[in-house]
Amino acid sequence: MSASASSSPSSASSPSSAAASPRSTSSTPSGTSSARPTATLRPQDLRLDPKFVITDVPQDRHFYWTVDEMIGAPDGCESLPRRSSSFEPLLDSPRSSPTVERTMWVVNGQIEGPLIEANQGDTINVHVKNNLATGTAIHWHGMAQNGSLWADGPNGVSQCPIPPGGSFTYTFTLTREDQYGSYWWHAHRGATYADGITGPLIIHSVNDPLKRGEDYDIDQILMVRDHYHEMSDTVVAGLRSPQGWDGSLAAPTPKSGLINGHGVYNCSAAPLGSACTQQAPLELEFPPNKLVRLRIINMGTHALFKVSVDEHALLVIEADDTPTHAAGVHRVPINAAQRYSAVLNTGSDTSGDSFYLRAQMNTQCFAAALGELDPQALAIIRIVGEGESPSTETPSSKDWGDDDLLGSCVDLDDSLLVPRIAIDAPVDVDGRSLFNSSITATSDLSFRWTLNNVSFDAFTYNPLLFQVARGQTLDPAVIANIVVDGVQVHDIIINNIAGADHPFHLHLLKMFIVGRGEGVLTTEAAAGLTFNTTNPLRRDTLNVSPGTHVVVRVITDIPGVAAFHCHIAWHQAAGLFGALVIQPSRISFADIPQEAQALCDAGNIMPGESYNTTEPARLMMRKRLELGSSLFPPSA
Ligand SMILES: [Cu+2]
């Protein structure tokens, strides 16, 4: 028996709390005559409602979304459109105009899209209408998709894009027994989530050891994101060309950092002709004497943020969706796509106090020039007692003195993050495989990231899942792939041989992190090593630094084609993408609904997206990759 809940555009949820709001009203663009609608913030949705009923009675939940092109100025900088939004072929000169374009692609008109909140066991139905002039696809980061492989979302892996003007419904049931915690959703075509198609996804459970009233009193979503002023398709086209983007072959440096969709761009650096409003920082209001759970989600495409609150240590209690024993830190380093819950204690604060929350990018993780970036995004936290009004003064709080804002882009130390629900990884493994990450150059000296010496170019109209359903074997010269038949305990050794730090994400399965080390590890050498199987951290996104390796142990108990890729979207879009094929003999078209198959019938509406899909071009690419690996210096 299941009840039904829905949130449709016409019955948008009521602002139950206006506790987080930008003081400045300048997010409405000025200085432009564009008739296109403007994307807005809905910060009131980001404090979770304590009245949400946490239950093990499953419900069907329906969400009605439209994806639209709008203008937006989340960091205050907004300017005149430079080019149409339809997909255009490679540009001659990727940076051809002095003005900064900021068209946004957003869901339901929101900068940082609608919250999905549900209980473990519920069935989520997201009805998506695509109003863009290009295709889109949406991924639900961290979902097991048990029985709904076609709904995972990555374009070229589990589906064809939702065409312009088309509609598609994603349906998936949250059946995994530990499928609860902090997640997010985002577009999964190219790097287009950089353009705004992102939002939080929070799942509760009666079995969650983290409980309101015990571990925390207030549940606040805190999204951090690096923000760019150009459309991602334009950046990717540049990065894939010999000219690179903005004079560099390396992943670009963002223009600003956003906290809950709001940022502060230094207008004195804005290009001529652009409209720029110097914004004030976001403000968050909390009562004294409370434990505030900050669900930090990095929805960015590149930066490692270090999140801190002046003069308040934070207690980390969740890593991705794994509840952990509390670990006290001054700063929470969070790589792209990762999540942490960090508890802020306002027990020593009194009404009227104010201090800064800082989300500071580690600039040493950027290989391209910093430009006008201010790496520090700020929000003001104001302590407000019941019936009182917030102070208006500028905080005088001081940043932690720790000299740890730079340095490597590594994750928060795994050994600090001990899962509350202790699960030992199986000691014996059935098999071991490699993903070797590196870089190469093509013969025209454009630049690609590789896994197992292959750079993946999305097959927009021939998803990997469909190939497997057809009984085909994925071509290892086209996509690096590991095939595991049956339910196995399998180790994946991720060697980062050369290049940059990569926050790798595995779809569908959680990974036990059983080993990290220096240098390259072979499967033979791994067979002779002992790994940490005693309640190791389980997560879905982890960083691997160049010159090091990580060993993750997975249990392949759900059939699927699980994408494995770097979550720096610029690296992913330049080829750093592989797949774990699980129990292929159990995957057939009977598992893929007609509606999902029909998305592939429309023909290729985005010729610029399906690079090298013809056989001769593929062979040429393979040849180039064989030639190329030593042509490019490991500087990106
Ligand atoms: Cu990467």
Side-chain angles (χ1 to χ4, degrees):
M1 155 126 194
S2 74
S4 187
S6 77
S7 82
S8 73
S10 55
S11 64
S13 56
S14 62
S16 57
S17 157
S21 66
R23 265 299 149 78
S24 162
T25 55
S26 59
S27 59
T28 302
S30 56
T32 172
S33 59
S34 170
R36 288 181 300 166
T38 303
T40 55
L41 283 166
R42 291 184 57 82
Q44 66 273 22
D45 295 343
L46 299 177
R47 181 155 312 174
L48 298 185
D49 188 343
K51 295 196 290 291
F52 185 94
V53 178
I54 299 172
T55 170
D56 56 2
V57 179
Q59 295 189 40
D60 268 334
R61 296 181 190 269
H62 291 266
F63 301 86
Y64 297 87
W65 291 3
T66 59
V67 187
D68 289 293
E69 178 171 310
M70 294 188 170
I71 49 174
D75 65 357
C77 187
E78 177 269 318
S79 72
L80 308 174
R82 188 172 79 210
R83 51 193 283 275
S84 91
S85 64
S86 58
F87 197 90
E88 291 179 5
L90 293 182
L91 302 173
D92 297 326
S93 166
R95 192 85 184 261
S96 57
S97 161
T99 61
V100 177
E101 175 184 10
R102 190 59 281 195
T103 293
M104 297 194 76
W105 290 346
V106 294
V107 172
N108 292 358
Q110 293 176 228
I111 295 170
E112 314 301 18
L115 166 69
I116 292 179
E117 191 174 12
N119 284 312
Q120 192 261 342
D122 288 353
T123 296
I124 305 286
N125 305 269
V126 188
H127 307 275
V128 181
K129 170 82 197 299
N130 177 20
N131 290 335
L132 302 178
T134 184
T136 192
I138 296 177
H139 167 58
W140 322 94
H141 188 112
M143 299 300 109
Q145 300 294 355
N146 186 5
S148 49
L149 302 174
W150 55 274
D152 189 41
N155 184 35
V157 179
S158 66
Q159 71 166 99
C160 290
I162 309 169
S167 296
F168 186 66
T169 297
Y170 293 91
T171 299
F172 50 94
T173 303
L174 308 171
T175 53
R176 201 185 75 199
E177 67 172 6
D178 61 344
Q179 186 84 80
Y180 52 81
S182 304
Y183 305 91
W184 62 302
W185 55 266
H186 61 86
H188 216 305
R189 178 183 80 68
T192 54
Y193 79 83
D195 302 314
I197 306 172
T198 63
L201 197 178
I202 306 295
I203 304 175
H204 304 279
S205 170
V206 292
N207 299 318
D208 191 340
L210 299 176
K211 300 208 186 296
R212 191 191 282 266
E214 293 176 22
D215 301 281
Y216 58 95
D217 305 304
I218 292 172
D219 203 345
Q220 172 72 47
I221 294 170
L222 191 86
M223 300 176 284
V224 295
R225 185 144 74 97
D226 44 23
H227 182 62
Y228 292 79
H229 287 163
E230 302 84 7
M231 294 305 288
S232 64
D233 279 342
T234 310
V235 175
V236 168
L239 288 175
R240 297 180 63 101
S241 75
Q243 292 83 16
W245 166 257
D246 198 16
S248 172
L249 290 164
T253 300
K255 290 292 194 285
S256 63
L258 306 183
I259 300 174
N260 285 354
H262 182 85
V264 178
Y265 181 68
N266 175 9
C267 285
S268 63
L272 282 177
S274 55
C276 193
T277 307
Q278 197 63 53
Q279 303 203 125
L282 179 86
E283 303 209 352
L284 294 155
E285 295 171 10
F286 299 122
N289 278 312
K290 296 290 180 194
L291 297 175
V292 179
R293 178 183 190 173
L294 299 169
R295 293 186 189 248
I296 309 169
I297 309 173
N298 185 343
M299 298 191 180
T301 52
H302 191 179
L304 164 70
F305 281 90
K306 295 201 176 182
V307 178
S308 61
V309 176
D310 288 358
E311 298 153 17
H312 294 70
L314 296 170
L315 282 184
V316 174
I317 56 169
E318 183 192 32
D320 292 347
D321 61 347
T322 300
T324 62
H325 291 291
V329 295
H330 287 174
R331 304 185 198 278
V332 180
I334 183 165
N335 272 298
Q338 293 181 326
R339 292 87 64 210
Y340 289 103
S341 283
V343 175
L344 165 68
N345 186 343
T346 63
S348 60
D349 301 306
T350 54
S351 190
D353 286 356
S354 61
F355 41 88
Y356 286 113
L357 178 148
R358 300 169 198 264
Q360 309 188 70
M361 299 181 212
N362 180 346
T363 53
Q364 284 188 354
C365 301
F366 299 137
L370 294 184
E372 69 267 37
L373 173 71
D374 177 353
Q376 175 176 260
L378 288 176
I380 297 173
I381 292 177
R382 296 197 187 277
I383 303 300
V384 187
E386 215 178 316
E388 306 195 31
S389 21
S391 70
T392 54
E393 69 196 14
T394 302
S396 57
S397 64
K398 297 277 180 302
D399 191 6
W400 293 103
D402 315 356
D403 186 23
D404 62 353
L405 283 173
L406 297 176
S408 63
C409 320
V410 294
D411 292 333
L412 184 56
D413 185 355
D414 300 332
S415 66
L416 289 175
L417 301 166
V418 180
R420 281 206 198 191
I421 297 178
I423 301 176
D424 290 344
V427 174
D428 297 321
V429 298
D430 302 303
R432 295 182 182 84
S433 303
L434 295 174
F435 275 135
N436 289 333
S437 161
S438 192
I439 51 179
T440 191
T442 59
S443 63
D444 66 357
L445 291 183
S446 68
F447 174 69
R448 295 290 183 274
W449 294 96
T450 59
L451 269 185
N452 298 351
N453 293 319
V454 180
S455 179
F456 180 56
D457 294 320
F459 287 110
T460 305
Y461 284 87
N462 191 10
L464 304 178
L465 175 67
F466 288 29
Q467 296 177 40
V468 173
R470 232 176 262 132
Q472 290 173 244
T473 302
L474 300 185
D475 183 349
V478 173
I479 180 154
N481 68 90
I482 295 170
V483 181
V484 180
D485 229 332
V487 180
Q488 285 195 20
V489 177
H490 201 89
D491 274 1
I492 302 172
I493 300 164
I494 309 161
N495 286 309
N496 187 337
I497 292 171
D501 281 87
H502 299 300
F504 282 108
H505 169 45
L506 178 64
H507 289 224
L508 307 180
L509 299 182
K510 283 178 85 163
M511 303 175 277
F512 289 102
I513 305 176
V514 295
R516 291 187 188 255
E518 297 291 318
V520 171
L521 185 67
T522 62
T523 50
E524 294 77 20
L529 295 179
T530 304
F531 294 102
N532 170 33
T533 55
T534 307
N535 191 22
L537 180 60
R538 317 179 286 273
R539 68 186 315 173
D540 59 49
T541 307
L542 54 92
N543 189 75
V544 188
S545 295
T548 75
H549 65 266
V550 176
V551 181
V552 297
R553 192 157 291 180
V554 295
I555 301 170
T556 59
D557 53 358
I558 297 173
V561 179
F564 176 83
H565 62 87
C566 174
H567 229 293
I568 293 176
W570 318 115
H571 294 175
Q572 172 200 314
L576 196 43
F577 206 114
L580 173 65
V581 182
I582 307 162
Q583 304 183 31
S585 55
R586 288 186 56 200
I587 297 173
S588 77
F589 276 107
D591 306 320
I592 305 173
Q594 246 332 297
E595 294 74 14
Q597 295 183 43
L599 290 178
C600 297
D601 296 341
N604 193 341
I605 42 112
M606 294 189 294
E609 181 73 5
S610 52
Y611 313 94
N612 306 312
T613 50
T614 63
E615 194 58 28
R618 263 172 45 190
L619 291 173
M620 203 181 298
M621 185 62 164
R622 194 184 312 181
K623 241 180 172 165
R624 286 173 179 174
L625 290 171
E626 281 162 7
L627 287 172
S629 56
S630 63
L631 293 177
F632 202 84
S635 63

